Amino acid sequence: MDLKCIFGLVIIVSRISLSFTQNVNVVIQGSKSVAEIDDNFVCATLDWWPTEKCNYNQCPWGKAGLLNLDLKKKVLINAIKAFNSLRIKVGGSLQDQVVYGVGEVKNCPNFMKKEGSLFGFSQGCLPVERWDELNNYFNQTGVKVTFGLNALLGRNESQSEKGLWVGDWNSQNARNLMKYTISRGYKVDSYEFGNQLSGAGMGARVEAEQYGKDVIVLKNMVKELHPDPKTQPKVLGPSGFYDEKWFNSLLKVSVQEVVDRVTHHIYNLGPGDDLNLITKIQDPSGVFNIVNKFKPQSGAWVSESGGALQGGAKDVSPTFADGFWYFDQLGIASTYNHKVFCRQTLIGGNYALLDTTTFIPNPDYYGALLWHRLMGSIVLAVTQESNPNLRVYAHCAKKKLGISIIFINLSNDSTFDVTLSSYEHRRRNLRPTDAAKPKFEFRSHLNREEYHLTALGGNIQGQIVLLNDVPMVLTDTFDIPAMDPKLVNASTPISVAAHSIVYVTIRDFHAPVCV
C-alpha cells in the first residue's frame, strides 16, 4: 500500500443477504490520551465556485458560491446555529484568483468563464459589501472563520515551466482587507495562505522555498496588524495535497513558529465519476509523520476533504453511504492528532452537508452534528478483535465526565454485539500473574446514551437518515429536529446493526484522563 496516500476506507456495497450477529470485545484505555483535537474539530467550507462550474456533464453548484449564496435562508441559518459554533473555512480552487474590493481596488468584476485561465475562469473580486454581508452572517450564526488568502497575487507563470508560478507575493491587497476587517470589528480566527499550490499543485504551483519566504511575510503582517497575541489570527498553510519532499522543504524554511498549523487536503476516493468509488482504500500516516518531525507542537489540519474530487459523486456523496467514509475519516484524523477536519462543503456541489438546491441537510450533516456535540477533545486508545468491517473510535465525552464512542459498521449482513473492557497500566491488588493482562470487563451502573444512525429502508444510497428509528426531518419552522438519545440498560452489549453508525456516551466509564 502506498504510504504517501493519506486516509483509508472500505465501503461494502449493499446486497441482499441473511443477517447474523458477531460478538466483539472492544478495549478502551482511559489512563492516557493518544491525541487531542480542537473543540471546533468539525469544520465545513464555503467555496467560490460560480453557477457555471460544471464537471461530469453536470453543474452541481447552483447559487451556493460565496458571491451568490442566499444568506437569509432560515434553514441555512438554523443548520449552522445548531452547532453552537461551527468552524467555516472560506476558500477553494478560485481563491488564488480573488482580489478584494478594498483600498485601491475600484473595479470589482465577477468570475467569468475564460478559456486558458486557471480552472477555466477569469480573475474575480470580493466586493466590500459582500464581505460585510458574510461577516454579519458569521456573527449572527456564531461561526469561527478561517479565511483562505490569494497567494498568487504578484506572481506570474514561468515562461520555461508550465504551471509553475514565480516571483514574490504582493501582500498589499491582503493587508488592505485585514485593515478593513479590523476597522469593522470582524473576527477572523485564522488565515490560510493559498490553495493547492504545494507539490505538483492543482492548476498552479509554487516552489516550497518561495512559499516559505512569502508565508513569513504574511506572518509578520498578521503580527503587525494584530499585536495582541490573545486575539492574533493563526497563519495556516500550505493547504494542498501532501508531497513529502515539498512539505519537508517548507517546514525547514518556516519552522520557527511561522506556520501555526500545517494544513493539507484529502480526496482519497478519486474522481466523482469513478464507477468503483464505493470500494476505495488508502492510508493515514504521511502528514502526521512530517508534522511530528518539524512542528510537533502545532498539529495538522485537514483543511479540505470531500471524498471524491471535482464536486463529488451525485449518487454517493449526498447519501447515507458517504458517512462510512466521512466518519471513518474523522476518527482516523483525530487519532493521528489532526486538530481540525474541514468538510468540502457546507453547501455547494454533490458533496455538501446541505442540499445545494433545497438547503435541506443531507445524512452526513446529522452525524457531523452528533460528533460535534458528543466527542470531546481528548482522544483515547482503542483496540478490538480484528474485524475490518467494524471501526471504533473513543474520546472523552464533550464537557462532561465519561466517554463517547463512535461505531461504524461497514458490513451489510452482520450485527456486532460489543462488550467493552477497560485497560489500565497498573491496578492495585493485582497478583503478579495478572499484571501482564491488565484488561477488565466494564460494568456500568448507569444507563448509557445511544444514537443509532441508519438508512431509511436499509437503502444506503438514499438521502433519508433515521436516528433511533426516527426520520430526521426539519420542523415546520425549518429548525433542526431534536436529536435525543435512547437510554439503554448498561448490562447489555452494545448492538451495532449492519450498515449503521452508532454513537454511545457512557457517563460512568472509568477514564482518569477524562476527569
Side-chain angles (χ1 to χ4, degrees):
M1 183 180 293
D2 185 357
L3 291 180
K4 291 185 180 180
C5 298
I6 307 298
F7 281 94
L9 173 67
V10 177
I11 296 178
I12 307 300
V13 181
S14 181
R15 64 184 185 276
I16 297 174
S17 178
L18 294 176
S19 178
F20 60 95
T21 300
Q22 299 183 47
N23 296 319
V24 177
N25 183 252
V26 170
V27 183
I28 297 174
Q29 182 174 318
S31 60
K32 67 175 183 178
S33 65
V34 296
E36 186 170 354
I37 62 175
D38 283 4
D39 287 337
N40 293 94
F41 175 75
V42 172
C43 162
T45 69
L46 287 174
D47 210 308
W48 293 102
W49 288 121
T51 303
E52 295 79 11
K53 169 63 176 173
C54 305
N55 291 102
Y56 317 130
N57 298 315
Q58 54 179 309
C59 305
W61 286 89
K63 292 186 177 181
L66 279 156
L67 297 178
N68 56 21
L69 179 63
D70 183 356
L71 301 175
K72 296 181 181 179
K73 280 280 189 179
K74 192 169 183 181
V75 63
L76 181 63
I77 293 170
N78 290 343
I80 296 177
K81 279 187 172 181
F83 278 84
N84 191 24
S85 185
L86 174 66
R87 181 184 296 279
I88 286 184
K89 193 196 88 165
V90 175
S93 297
L94 294 181
Q95 80 179 50
D96 292 306
Q97 294 165 249
V98 179
V99 295
Y100 318 120
V102 292
E104 298 178 356
V105 176
K106 305 302 180 184
N107 183 28
C108 206
N110 291 324
F111 289 109
M112 302 290 290
K113 296 194 78 171
K114 184 178 180 181
E115 189 174 346
S117 295
L118 278 176
F119 305 105
F121 285 91
S122 67
Q123 188 178 75
C125 179
L126 171 62
V128 68
E129 297 81 10
R130 184 59 172 177
W131 184 231
D132 291 336
E133 291 172 357
L134 286 166
N135 278 280
N136 290 334
Y137 174 72
F138 295 151
N139 182 61
Q140 176 189 3
T141 54
V143 165
K144 182 164 284 196
V145 180
T146 293
F147 188 84
L149 291 168
N150 180 346
L152 289 184
L153 201 61
R155 309 187 203 275
N156 295 293
E157 188 170 9
S158 169
Q159 297 296 312
S160 59
E161 190 170 345
K162 184 174 176 58
L164 175 65
W165 286 63
V166 295
D168 293 335
W169 176 54
N170 183 340
S171 62
Q172 187 59 51
N173 194 221
R175 173 183 285 273
N176 290 339
L177 179 68
M178 288 183 194
K179 289 174 70 175
Y180 178 82
T181 299
I182 294 167
S183 74
R184 300 286 291 183
Y186 302 148
K187 294 180 181 179
V188 174
D189 177 74
S190 46
Y191 287 101
E192 191 170 39
F193 190 54
N195 184 80
Q196 296 180 344
L197 302 175
S198 59
M202 285 287 286
R205 67 184 184 90
V206 174
E207 294 289 7
E209 293 77 6
Q210 179 66 55
Y211 183 98
K213 174 183 172 183
D214 293 324
V215 83
I216 291 171
V217 172
L218 171 59
K219 181 67 173 182
N220 288 336
M221 185 168 70
V222 168
K223 285 182 174 180
E224 174 195 340
L225 297 176
H226 300 82
D228 185 354
K230 294 180 181 179
T231 58
Q232 190 177 103
K234 294 180 179 64
V235 172
L236 318 175
S239 187
F241 293 111
Y242 175 63
D243 178 286
E244 183 176 3
K245 182 178 178 181
W246 197 98
F247 271 61
N248 263 310
S249 298
L250 167 64
L251 291 173
K252 285 178 181 177
V253 171
S254 62
V255 72
Q256 297 301 321
E257 299 183 3
V258 175
V259 177
D260 297 300
R261 295 289 185 265
V262 178
T263 59
H264 65 108
H265 293 184
I266 300 167
Y267 282 93
N268 51 317
L269 299 183
D273 62 349
D274 186 348
L275 297 179
N276 296 314
L277 182 65
I278 209 163
T279 58
K280 294 290 184 180
I281 303 172
Q282 295 194 6
D283 176 80
S285 60
V287 171
F288 170 80
N289 292 334
I290 291 295
V291 172
N292 200 45
K293 177 180 178 182
F294 288 103
K295 284 185 71 67
Q297 77 282 9
S298 70
W301 285 22
V302 175
S303 62
E304 183 180 315
S305 183
L309 282 161
Q310 297 175 332
K314 66 182 179 65
D315 296 324
V316 176
S317 298
T319 72
F320 184 87
D322 194 68
F324 298 133
W325 162 79
Y326 179 39
F327 301 113
D328 197 48
Q329 300 303 280
L330 294 184
I332 295 173
S334 60
T335 301
Y336 275 82
N337 206 36
H338 282 63
K339 307 302 183 183
V340 171
F341 190 104
C342 295
R343 169 65 177 259
Q344 174 82 351
T345 59
L346 174 66
I347 188 165
N350 291 311
Y351 40 31
L353 293 177
L354 307 177
D355 184 273
T356 299
T357 303
T358 66
F359 292 65
I360 292 173
N362 286 322
D364 282 355
Y365 170 87
Y366 293 103
L369 184 55
L370 284 174
W371 179 292
H372 180 76
R373 290 177 175 178
L374 301 176
M375 307 293 278
S377 59
I378 303 299
V379 185
L380 305 175
V382 178
T383 56
Q384 62 140 319
E385 298 165 5
S386 180
N387 194 313
N389 287 332
L390 180 65
R391 307 296 174 87
V392 187
Y393 304 98
H395 293 213
C396 294
K398 199 158 192 175
K399 298 181 180 179
K400 295 181 181 179
L401 293 179
I403 64 170
S404 289
I405 314 165
I406 180 172
F407 299 92
I408 305 166
N409 188 346
L410 304 176
S411 172
N412 74 315
D413 57 13
S414 295
T415 293
F416 295 104
D417 277 355
V418 178
T419 301
L420 293 182
S421 297
S422 61
Y423 180 101
E424 299 174 11
H425 286 297
R426 296 178 181 177
R427 186 171 177 178
R428 294 178 181 178
N429 302 322
L430 282 180
R431 300 190 307 271
T433 54
D434 293 329
K437 295 182 178 180
K439 184 172 72 172
F440 311 95
E441 186 172 334
F442 170 70
R443 298 290 185 183
S444 178
H445 301 289
L446 302 175
N447 286 334
R448 60 177 179 259
E449 302 161 20
E450 296 187 358
Y451 305 78
H452 293 254
L453 297 174
T454 54
L456 179 66
N459 177 18
I460 65 169
Q461 289 189 257
Q463 289 181 261
I464 301 296
V465 60
L466 309 180
L467 173 61
N468 297 332
D469 297 324
V470 177
M472 290 290 94
V473 179
L474 295 174
T475 70
D476 292 340
T477 55
F478 301 104
D479 287 310
I480 301 302
M483 300 183 70
D484 298 321
K486 68 175 181 178
L487 301 181
V488 179
N489 186 327
S491 65
T492 60
I494 299 168
S495 180
V496 184
H499 273 165
S500 72
I501 297 162
V502 180
Y503 287 92
V504 177
T505 296
I506 304 172
R507 298 298 177 194
D508 61 340
F509 189 97
H510 181 61
V513 74
C514 298
V515 176

